[in-house]
């Protein structure tokens, strides 16, 4: 089964978890898009909250009733992809530069399900460069503090400003993204706390203790993993 077919299978399996009348958080990225389209095909009466402008545009075009996060109350279920899945469903997210909005929606949800293809479980957590969202003002000085923090934790790497077509990538909130190629993260909770404590850092891409299950497409079908 190709990665694209695995993503499709995981997205359809997650769509089957949704019940009529729910408020649903819609993730961002290529795998989450499979879920959104599979959910639209079910034509259920739902309210949805999008984690990015791109997802909002997709959902609106598919006929979903979009609401703002502030008007949603407790979201029943959020389904989203991940760039990497580690032990106890520790996740790295932010490859699509939507990590802040994604985390806001995740933390406002009663249930959170991550969907992915088999490649997102590389065996050594930290292989995907860790996205870190920072305020644009003084971002280079923030990057210096990020690098010092990584070094203090034994990660001798430098965070790199994310560029697209030679220009810095801007998030939907107007912030910038730095990517830290950690290669291996031994204690994600320690790293998460240290980064969040830095002035100028808005959010990081470590999603810890949030996912209730993972639905992963494999050559043998969709498997379910719990923390």
């Amino acid at each position: 089964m190709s990665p694209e077919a695995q993503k499709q299978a995981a997205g359809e399996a997650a769509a089957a978890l949704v019940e009529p009348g729910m408020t649903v958080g819609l993730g961002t990225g290529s795998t989450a898009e499979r879920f959104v389209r599979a959910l639209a095909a079910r034509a259920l009466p739902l309210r949805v909250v999008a984690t990015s402008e791109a997802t909002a545009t997709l959902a609106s075009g598919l006929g979903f009733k979009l609401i703002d996060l502030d008007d949603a109350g407790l979201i029943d279920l959020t389904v989203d992809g991940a760039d990497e899945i580690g032990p106890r469903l520790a996740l790295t997210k932010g490859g699509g530069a939507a990590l802040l909005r994604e985390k806001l929606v995740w933390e406002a949800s009663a249930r959170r399900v991550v969907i992915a293809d088999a490649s997102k479980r590389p065996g050594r957590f930290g292989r995907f460069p860790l996205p870190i969202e920072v305020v644009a003002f003084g971002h280079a000085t923030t990057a210096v503090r990020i690098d010092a923090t990584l070094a203090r934790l034994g990660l001798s790497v430098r965070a790199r400003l994310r560029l697209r077509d030679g220009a810095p990538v801007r998030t939907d909130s107007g912030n910038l993204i730095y990517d830290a190629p950690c290669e291996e993260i031994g204690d994600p909770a320690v790293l998460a706390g240290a980064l969040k404590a830095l002035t100028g850092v808005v959010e990081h891409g470590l999603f810890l203790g949030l996912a209730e299950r993972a639905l992963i497409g494999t050559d043998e079908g969709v498997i379910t993993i719990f923390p």
Side-chain angles (χ1 to χ4, degrees):
M1 187 183 291
S2 70
E4 296 307 310
Q6 292 176 357
K7 292 178 183 180
Q8 183 66 32
E12 291 175 356
L17 299 175
V18 178
E19 299 176 1
M22 277 186 167
T23 300
V24 181
L26 306 180
T28 295
S30 61
T31 309
E33 180 178 342
R34 268 53 172 206
F35 163 72
V36 176
R37 293 187 181 278
L39 186 58
R42 295 190 62 197
L44 300 175
L46 302 169
R47 303 190 312 163
V48 302
V49 179
T51 56
S52 66
E53 295 300 327
T55 297
T57 299
L58 172 66
S60 179
L62 291 171
F64 283 106
K65 180 181 178 181
L66 282 160
I67 59 172
D68 291 334
L69 178 59
D70 287 338
D71 298 325
L74 181 65
I75 298 169
D76 296 298
L77 171 68
T78 288
V79 176
D80 204 349
D83 298 302
E84 190 174 18
I85 300 174
R88 297 178 295 280
L89 296 190
L91 308 177
T92 298
K93 291 177 53 57
L99 62 158
L100 173 60
R101 293 196 181 190
E102 287 173 332
K103 193 170 284 188
L104 286 168
V105 173
W106 276 59
E107 293 192 353
S109 304
R111 301 172 59 200
R112 307 105 169 186
V113 173
V114 62
I115 54 176
D117 62 87
S119 71
K120 299 304 189 293
R121 300 177 68 203
R124 187 172 67 186
F125 187 63
R127 295 292 296 275
F128 190 89
L130 176 64
I132 304 167
E133 187 166 344
V134 304
V135 175
F137 178 78
H139 66 90
T141 61
T142 301
V144 171
R145 289 192 293 276
I146 291 172
D147 289 345
T149 297
L150 293 171
R152 177 170 56 82
L153 296 177
L155 298 166
S156 300
V157 299
R158 297 189 65 180
R160 300 184 295 248
L161 178 63
R162 188 183 298 181
L163 304 175
R164 183 184 298 125
D165 298 328
V169 170
R170 292 272 181 170
T171 71
D172 287 342
S173 300
N175 300 315
L176 303 179
I177 298 286
Y178 276 81
D179 294 302
C182 299
E183 292 296 333
E184 185 169 10
I185 301 174
D187 194 330
V190 169
L191 177 57
L195 290 173
K196 196 65 181 284
L198 295 176
T199 302
V201 170
V202 179
E203 193 51 81
H204 53 73
L206 290 169
F207 282 52
L208 308 178
L210 290 173
E212 72 162 40
R213 74 182 73 177
L215 300 176
I216 300 177
T218 72
D219 289 341
E220 291 73 40
V222 177
I223 62 172
T224 303
I225 298 175
F226 296 96

